[in-house]
Amino acid sequence: MLDQAFDALKKLDYGADLKPLEAIDAAIVASQKDAALQKDLETRLLAVLKSDAPDDAKGYVCRKLMIVGTPASVAALDELLPQEKYSHMARYALERIPAKEAAAALRDSLTKVNGPLKIGVIASLGARRDADSVAALIAQLSDSDEQIVRAAATALGSIATVDAAKALAGVKPTGVAKSAVVDAQLACAEAILAAGNKAEALAIYKSFAGGDQPKHIKLAGTRGMLACAGKKD
């Protein structure tokens, strides 16, 4: 049954009946308690990914590798990241594979992609909350593309480490990136405070509580300072 399902997968194209693939879906579920089955499925899926199978088949494979993928899947997915028609599928899989090798592949691809593909990779690193990617994301804050700066700021706000917060404080963004940088700093402050580092969080909140900040930003800074002091507004 599984062999027939994989034969059908190799020919999967837009509009095709997905019923023949139900055996793969069932095996994916069963593999969560069966390491040998998981390894077998990953090997079979990678064989399809590396073949000349239709794009829809490769998209299906990437969605399943989100579940059964291990470090063994990283190299094949990494090769797809610079390819426009496959990049998003590959990064979604790498985003969800918990292995550190998956994060490293996404991080390293920042030097190989541009425009929307780079923005997507940055978003995936933020979704992983990968602290090891802070330095690589900080480098993107000096990009000439405001959308990339915005994406990097948002990702750093999701990671929310002290280093991320300090890097964001040194950025002087303009245009669409400006609000993203501010939001990211406040997100960092909230996470840092939740982790018990009141001094670092307070310093961030103070920087927004005065000066010529917009009213809603001042309010957020003030509320944050009160939270650091253990008070409610």
Side-chain angles (χ1 to χ4, degrees):
M1 184 73 74
L2 199 54
D3 288 341
Q4 289 89 338
F6 272 96
D7 286 339
L9 174 58
K10 294 171 186 176
K11 305 169 188 175
L12 182 67
D13 211 341
Y14 181 76
D17 182 11
L18 297 180
K19 189 172 180 60
L21 306 183
E22 288 179 353
I24 299 176
D25 295 335
I28 293 284
V29 174
S31 74
Q32 300 310 294
K33 295 182 179 180
D34 186 335
L37 176 58
Q38 181 176 349
K39 181 62 179 176
D40 178 58
L41 287 168
E42 182 182 30
T43 300
R44 289 175 180 246
L45 289 166
L46 286 172
V48 176
L49 190 64
K50 295 174 183 178
S51 73
D52 59 356
D55 292 348
D56 278 13
K58 293 186 177 184
Y60 176 93
V61 168
C62 287
R63 291 192 296 275
K64 299 310 169 184
L65 287 176
M66 293 178 191
I67 305 170
V68 299
T70 70
S73 294
V74 172
L77 292 167
D78 182 37
E79 289 184 7
L80 301 181
L81 288 173
Q83 301 180 42
E84 188 169 357
K85 68 177 179 177
Y86 297 130
S87 184
H88 296 302
M89 298 186 300
R91 76 173 176 84
Y92 285 138
L94 289 168
E95 180 181 310
R96 291 165 177 78
I97 293 173
K100 64 181 181 180
E101 290 88 347
L106 287 166
R107 189 162 58 243
D108 293 344
S109 76
L110 290 173
T111 62
K112 307 172 190 174
V113 295
N114 292 292
L117 299 189
K118 178 176 278 193
I119 289 170
V121 169
I122 290 170
S124 288
L125 289 170
R128 287 183 67 98
R129 289 183 166 83
D130 183 50
D132 290 337
S133 294
V134 168
L137 291 169
I138 288 172
Q140 306 307 313
L141 294 175
S142 59
D143 198 283
S144 58
D145 186 333
E146 288 184 348
Q147 295 293 346
I148 288 177
V149 175
R150 181 179 185 176
T154 300
L156 287 166
S158 296
I159 296 170
T161 62
V162 172
D163 286 343
K166 288 180 177 178
L168 288 164
V171 179
K172 304 300 178 186
T174 59
V176 296
K178 188 170 184 178
S179 62
V181 170
V182 172
D183 289 345
Q185 286 178 269
L186 291 171
C188 285
E190 184 177 355
I192 290 168
L193 177 59
N197 194 338
K198 292 183 180 181
E200 293 286 355
L202 181 60
I204 298 171
Y205 284 128
K206 276 185 175 181
S207 70
F208 291 114
D212 58 354
Q213 299 288 347
K215 184 177 180 179
H216 68 286
I217 299 299
K218 286 184 180 180
L219 180 60
T222 300
R223 285 177 171 172
M225 291 172 65
L226 290 171
C228 288
K231 301 177 182 179
K232 296 182 178 180
D233 58 351

mmCIF file of all heavy atoms in Angstrom, residues 79-103:
data_model
loop_
_atom_site.group_PDB
_atom_site.id
_atom_site.type_symbol
_atom_site.label_atom_id
_atom_site.label_comp_id
_atom_site.label_asym_id
_atom_site.label_seq_id
_atom_site.Cartn_x
_atom_site.Cartn_y
_atom_site.Cartn_z
ATOM 1 N N GLU A 79 19.425 23.152 -0.642
ATOM 2 C CA GLU A 79 19.654 23.385 -2.067
ATOM 3 C C GLU A 79 18.491 24.120 -2.732
ATOM 4 O O GLU A 79 18.668 24.792 -3.751
ATOM 5 C CB GLU A 79 19.881 22.046 -2.781
ATOM 6 C CG GLU A 79 21.217 21.389 -2.453
ATOM 7 C CD GLU A 79 21.432 20.117 -3.253
ATOM 8 O OE1 GLU A 79 20.597 19.834 -4.143
ATOM 9 O OE2 GLU A 79 22.417 19.410 -2.977
ATOM 10 N N LEU A 80 17.309 23.999 -2.153
ATOM 11 C CA LEU A 80 16.123 24.613 -2.742
ATOM 12 C C LEU A 80 15.923 26.073 -2.319
ATOM 13 O O LEU A 80 15.177 26.805 -2.961
ATOM 14 C CB LEU A 80 14.871 23.815 -2.363
ATOM 15 C CG LEU A 80 14.840 22.345 -2.777
ATOM 16 C CD1 LEU A 80 13.519 21.713 -2.348
ATOM 17 C CD2 LEU A 80 15.045 22.196 -4.276
ATOM 18 N N LEU A 81 16.578 26.490 -1.242
ATOM 19 C CA LEU A 81 16.337 27.827 -0.697
ATOM 20 C C LEU A 81 16.591 28.957 -1.696
ATOM 21 O O LEU A 81 15.844 29.937 -1.721
ATOM 22 C CB LEU A 81 17.169 28.051 0.577
ATOM 23 C CG LEU A 81 16.698 27.272 1.806
ATOM 24 C CD1 LEU A 81 17.684 27.444 2.956
ATOM 25 C CD2 LEU A 81 15.302 27.716 2.235
ATOM 26 N N PRO A 82 17.638 28.891 -2.545
ATOM 27 C CA PRO A 82 17.851 29.989 -3.506
ATOM 28 C C PRO A 82 16.961 29.908 -4.753
ATOM 29 O O PRO A 82 17.006 30.807 -5.586
ATOM 30 C CB PRO A 82 19.332 29.830 -3.899
ATOM 31 C CG PRO A 82 19.916 28.864 -2.932
ATOM 32 C CD PRO A 82 18.788 27.980 -2.534
ATOM 33 N N GLN A 83 16.176 28.840 -4.870
ATOM 34 C CA GLN A 83 15.353 28.650 -6.062
ATOM 35 C C GLN A 83 13.956 29.234 -5.822
ATOM 36 O O GLN A 83 13.231 28.777 -4.938
ATOM 37 C CB GLN A 83 15.249 27.171 -6.415
ATOM 38 C CG GLN A 83 16.595 26.524 -6.689
ATOM 39 C CD GLN A 83 16.469 25.059 -7.048
ATOM 40 O OE1 GLN A 83 15.575 24.670 -7.802
ATOM 41 N NE2 GLN A 83 17.367 24.233 -6.513
ATOM 42 N N GLU A 84 13.610 30.210 -6.618
ATOM 43 C CA GLU A 84 12.385 30.973 -6.359
ATOM 44 C C GLU A 84 11.143 30.114 -6.208
ATOM 45 O O GLU A 84 10.335 30.337 -5.309
ATOM 46 C CB GLU A 84 12.181 32.007 -7.470
ATOM 47 C CG GLU A 84 11.043 32.966 -7.199
ATOM 48 C CD GLU A 84 11.019 34.124 -8.165
ATOM 49 O OE1 GLU A 84 11.911 34.228 -9.019
ATOM 50 O OE2 GLU A 84 10.071 34.934 -8.070
ATOM 51 N N LYS A 85 10.966 29.117 -7.063
ATOM 52 C CA LYS A 85 9.712 28.360 -7.002
ATOM 53 C C LYS A 85 9.680 27.324 -5.882
ATOM 54 O O LYS A 85 8.605 26.793 -5.555
ATOM 55 C CB LYS A 85 9.418 27.694 -8.347
ATOM 56 C CG LYS A 85 10.360 26.580 -8.752
ATOM 57 C CD LYS A 85 9.863 25.983 -10.081
ATOM 58 C CE LYS A 85 10.763 24.865 -10.582
ATOM 59 N NZ LYS A 85 10.214 24.274 -11.835
ATOM 60 N N TYR A 86 10.823 27.038 -5.270
ATOM 61 C CA TYR A 86 10.864 26.061 -4.192
ATOM 62 C C TYR A 86 11.243 26.655 -2.833
ATOM 63 O O TYR A 86 11.086 26.001 -1.806
ATOM 64 C CB TYR A 86 11.881 24.956 -4.511
ATOM 65 C CG TYR A 86 11.555 24.134 -5.734
ATOM 66 C CD1 TYR A 86 12.513 23.916 -6.722
ATOM 67 C CD2 TYR A 86 10.308 23.558 -5.901
ATOM 68 C CE1 TYR A 86 12.231 23.148 -7.847
ATOM 69 C CE2 TYR A 86 10.016 22.791 -7.019
ATOM 70 C CZ TYR A 86 10.979 22.594 -7.991
ATOM 71 O OH TYR A 86 10.686 21.836 -9.094
ATOM 72 N N SER A 87 11.758 27.857 -2.826
ATOM 73 C CA SER A 87 12.349 28.418 -1.613
ATOM 74 C C SER A 87 11.381 28.435 -0.439
ATOM 75 O O SER A 87 11.726 28.035 0.679
ATOM 76 C CB SER A 87 12.864 29.833 -1.876
ATOM 77 O OG SER A 87 13.506 30.348 -0.736
ATOM 78 N N HIS A 88 10.156 28.895 -0.674
ATOM 79 C CA HIS A 88 9.207 29.021 0.436
ATOM 80 C C HIS A 88 8.856 27.654 1.012
ATOM 81 O O HIS A 88 8.782 27.480 2.233
ATOM 82 C CB HIS A 88 7.951 29.756 -0.024
ATOM 83 C CG HIS A 88 8.214 31.174 -0.427
ATOM 84 N ND1 HIS A 88 8.772 32.093 0.433
ATOM 85 C CD2 HIS A 88 8.019 31.829 -1.589
ATOM 86 C CE1 HIS A 88 8.908 33.255 -0.186
ATOM 87 N NE2 HIS A 88 8.469 33.119 -1.420
ATOM 88 N N MET A 89 8.663 26.661 0.143
ATOM 89 C CA MET A 89 8.356 25.315 0.629
ATOM 90 C C MET A 89 9.502 24.771 1.468
ATOM 91 O O MET A 89 9.295 24.174 2.527
ATOM 92 C CB MET A 89 8.100 24.377 -0.553
ATOM 93 C CG MET A 89 6.926 24.764 -1.426
ATOM 94 S SD MET A 89 6.562 23.534 -2.706
ATOM 95 C CE MET A 89 8.100 23.514 -3.647
ATOM 96 N N ALA A 90 10.719 24.976 0.993
ATOM 97 C CA ALA A 90 11.893 24.456 1.699
ATOM 98 C C ALA A 90 12.076 25.136 3.046
ATOM 99 O O ALA A 90 12.381 24.473 4.052
ATOM 100 C CB ALA A 90 13.139 24.639 0.839
ATOM 101 N N ARG A 91 11.903 26.439 3.074
ATOM 102 C CA ARG A 91 12.140 27.144 4.345
ATOM 103 C C ARG A 91 11.073 26.800 5.379
ATOM 104 O O ARG A 91 11.366 26.743 6.581
ATOM 105 C CB ARG A 91 12.251 28.648 4.135
ATOM 106 C CG ARG A 91 10.971 29.390 3.891
ATOM 107 C CD ARG A 91 11.226 30.901 3.869
ATOM 108 N NE ARG A 91 10.030 31.644 3.543
ATOM 109 C CZ ARG A 91 9.103 31.986 4.434
ATOM 110 N NH1 ARG A 91 9.229 31.616 5.703
ATOM 111 N NH2 ARG A 91 8.047 32.682 4.063
ATOM 112 N N TYR A 92 9.832 26.560 4.945
ATOM 113 C CA TYR A 92 8.806 26.153 5.901
ATOM 114 C C TYR A 92 9.177 24.825 6.557
ATOM 115 O O TYR A 92 8.950 24.629 7.752
ATOM 116 C CB TYR A 92 7.444 26.032 5.215
ATOM 117 C CG TYR A 92 6.792 27.360 4.901
ATOM 118 C CD1 TYR A 92 6.155 27.571 3.680
ATOM 119 C CD2 TYR A 92 6.808 28.409 5.814
ATOM 120 C CE1 TYR A 92 5.562 28.788 3.383
ATOM 121 C CE2 TYR A 92 6.229 29.637 5.520
ATOM 122 C CZ TYR A 92 5.597 29.812 4.304
ATOM 123 O OH TYR A 92 5.013 31.017 4.002
ATOM 124 N N ALA A 93 9.748 23.922 5.761
ATOM 125 C CA ALA A 93 10.182 22.649 6.331
ATOM 126 C C ALA A 93 11.342 22.859 7.298
ATOM 127 O O ALA A 93 11.336 22.341 8.421
ATOM 128 C CB ALA A 93 10.586 21.691 5.208
ATOM 129 N N LEU A 94 12.331 23.634 6.885
ATOM 130 C CA LEU A 94 13.489 23.887 7.749
ATOM 131 C C LEU A 94 13.084 24.649 9.012
ATOM 132 O O LEU A 94 13.671 24.446 10.082
ATOM 133 C CB LEU A 94 14.548 24.674 6.978
ATOM 134 C CG LEU A 94 15.282 23.881 5.894
ATOM 135 C CD1 LEU A 94 16.083 24.826 5.001
ATOM 136 C CD2 LEU A 94 16.197 22.834 6.511
ATOM 137 N N GLU A 95 12.101 25.495 8.886
ATOM 138 C CA GLU A 95 11.615 26.262 10.037
ATOM 139 C C GLU A 95 11.105 25.340 11.136
ATOM 140 O O GLU A 95 11.239 25.644 12.329
ATOM 141 C CB GLU A 95 10.498 27.189 9.565
ATOM 142 C CG GLU A 95 9.874 28.058 10.632
ATOM 143 C CD GLU A 95 8.762 28.918 10.059
ATOM 144 O OE1 GLU A 95 8.988 29.584 9.024
ATOM 145 O OE2 GLU A 95 7.656 28.925 10.632
ATOM 146 N N ARG A 96 10.540 24.212 10.740
ATOM 147 C CA ARG A 96 9.894 23.321 11.704
ATOM 148 C C ARG A 96 10.713 22.091 12.090
ATOM 149 O O ARG A 96 10.337 21.381 13.017
ATOM 150 C CB ARG A 96 8.526 22.903 11.152
ATOM 151 C CG ARG A 96 7.544 24.074 11.128
ATOM 152 C CD ARG A 96 6.341 23.762 10.265
ATOM 153 N NE ARG A 96 5.364 24.836 10.289
ATOM 154 C CZ ARG A 96 5.464 25.982 9.614
ATOM 155 N NH1 ARG A 96 6.521 26.196 8.845
ATOM 156 N NH2 ARG A 96 4.540 26.915 9.693
ATOM 157 N N ILE A 97 11.791 21.828 11.375
ATOM 158 C CA ILE A 97 12.667 20.718 11.777
ATOM 159 C C ILE A 97 13.491 21.205 12.971
ATOM 160 O O ILE A 97 14.235 22.184 12.861
ATOM 161 C CB ILE A 97 13.580 20.292 10.613
ATOM 162 C CG1 ILE A 97 12.746 19.667 9.484
ATOM 163 C CG2 ILE A 97 14.634 19.297 11.084
ATOM 164 C CD1 ILE A 97 13.538 19.365 8.219
ATOM 165 N N PRO A 98 13.366 20.585 14.131
ATOM 166 C CA PRO A 98 13.981 21.130 15.348
ATOM 167 C C PRO A 98 15.503 21.077 15.409
ATOM 168 O O PRO A 98 16.107 21.703 16.273
ATOM 169 C CB PRO A 98 13.356 20.277 16.459
ATOM 170 C CG PRO A 98 12.958 19.002 15.795
ATOM 171 C CD PRO A 98 12.557 19.377 14.403
ATOM 172 N N ALA A 99 16.143 20.369 14.515
ATOM 173 C CA ALA A 99 17.597 20.212 14.556
ATOM 174 C C ALA A 99 18.329 21.533 14.349
ATOM 175 O O ALA A 99 17.896 22.376 13.555
ATOM 176 C CB ALA A 99 18.040 19.213 13.488
ATOM 177 N N LYS A 100 19.438 21.707 15.038
ATOM 178 C CA LYS A 100 20.232 22.932 14.903
ATOM 179 C C LYS A 100 20.765 23.097 13.483
ATOM 180 O O LYS A 100 21.005 24.218 13.023
ATOM 181 C CB LYS A 100 21.382 22.934 15.909
ATOM 182 C CG LYS A 100 22.401 21.821 15.703
ATOM 183 C CD LYS A 100 23.498 21.877 16.765
ATOM 184 C CE LYS A 100 24.535 20.775 16.526
ATOM 185 N NZ LYS A 100 25.604 20.803 17.552
ATOM 186 N N GLU A 101 20.940 21.977 12.770
ATOM 187 C CA GLU A 101 21.428 22.045 11.392
ATOM 188 C C GLU A 101 20.431 22.771 10.490
ATOM 189 O O GLU A 101 20.819 23.429 9.525
ATOM 190 C CB GLU A 101 21.672 20.629 10.849
ATOM 191 C CG GLU A 101 22.852 19.913 11.482
ATOM 192 C CD GLU A 101 22.497 19.144 12.736
ATOM 193 O OE1 GLU A 101 21.378 19.343 13.273
ATOM 194 O OE2 GLU A 101 23.328 18.330 13.180
ATOM 195 N N ALA A 102 19.150 22.654 10.798
ATOM 196 C CA ALA A 102 18.124 23.330 10.001
ATOM 197 C C ALA A 102 18.223 24.845 10.180
ATOM 198 O O ALA A 102 18.131 25.608 9.208
ATOM 199 C CB ALA A 102 16.739 22.836 10.397
ATOM 200 N N ALA A 103 18.422 25.274 11.408
ATOM 201 C CA ALA A 103 18.590 26.706 11.664
ATOM 202 C C ALA A 103 19.844 27.235 10.991
ATOM 203 O O ALA A 103 19.841 28.338 10.417
ATOM 204 C CB ALA A 103 18.651 26.972 13.172
#
